Amino acid sequence: MSADPLHRATNTARSTTSPPSGGLGASAVEVRRSSRRRRTVSAYREGDRTVVLIPARMSEAEEKRWVGVMLDKLAAQESKRVLGDTELADRAERLSDQYLEGKARPASVRWVTNQNTRWGSCTPAEGSIRLSHRLQGMPEYVVDYVLIHELAHLLVPGHGPRFWRLLEAYPRTERARGYLEGVVAADRLPHLPAARGD
C-alpha cells in the first residue's frame, strides 16, 4: 500500500489489495482506515471481497500483519460451517467452472464416513465423487483442493502429467497439499500423556 495523502487522511481511507493466494473462498481485500477507530480491527465479507477495518494510525507493516490475521480468522469461522451434500455439489460445479472450464460435471458429490485412509475418491464411470468426513472443519481452500482433485479425475483417471497440469489452475494446490500432509504427519506423532496437576 502506498503512503499517499488519501491514505493518511483523518477520514476513512480505502485501499484494495490482492489476497495472499486464492481459491474459491478468496477475494480482493479492501482495507478501510478510520480516524475514529482507535485499537480494534475487524473484518467481514462483502460480496466477492473482504473488508478489513483498521485504525488510521496503523503502520503499513501492522496493516499487513492484521490483514493476514483477519483473513485467517474469517477462514477459520467459515471452515466451522459444515457443507451439506447439496452445497458440496454446488461448490464442485462452481469449482469446475472456475478452474476446469466447466468440463468436469459429476453426477453426485457427497460426504462419506467410510474413507479413513484417503481424503476423497471418484468413480469416473458413474461420475460420482465422495469426500471423507474428516475434511469437515478444515479450511475451505483444502476442501476445494480435494474437490478439484476429484473433479480432475473425472477428466483424467490417473496421476500423470496431464492430471497435474489441470490442478495447476488452482492457485492453492501446494498450500492445501502441505496442510493435508501436516494433518497426516500429526496423526502419526505419539500422543503425550496429559500433564498431572499437582
Side-chain angles (χ1 to χ4, degrees), residues 68-87:
V69 166
M70 298 312 289
L71 288 175
D72 288 345
K73 278 188 170 186
L74 283 174
Q77 289 170 355
E78 291 166 351
S79 72
K80 289 179 184 171
R81 288 184 284 138
V82 177
L83 300 174
D85 288 349
T86 302
E87 295 161 312

Side-chain angles (χ1 to χ4, degrees), residues 108-190:
S108 68
V109 182
R110 62 191 173 92
W111 296 108
V112 294
T113 58
N114 62 352
Q115 288 190 47
N116 295 314
T117 59
R118 51 188 173 170
W119 300 112
S121 62
C122 165
T123 307
E126 297 173 5
S128 62
I129 291 175
R130 294 160 305 281
L131 296 191
S132 171
H133 71 287
R134 296 177 304 141
L135 289 165
Q136 293 174 335
M138 289 189 187
E140 286 184 0
Y141 74 91
V142 175
V143 176
D144 287 352
Y145 164 73
V146 176
L147 274 172
I148 291 169
H149 186 106
E150 300 309 331
L151 286 164
H153 277 311
L154 292 178
L155 306 174
V156 179
H159 288 103
R162 187 169 159 240
F163 173 82
W164 291 111
R165 275 195 300 276
L166 288 174
L167 287 186
E168 286 174 3
Y170 183 59
R172 298 180 100 175
T173 290
E174 289 307 313
R175 185 174 179 190
R177 289 184 63 172
Y179 184 99
L180 293 171
E181 287 169 6
V183 170
V184 170
D187 284 346
R188 291 182 183 146
L189 291 174

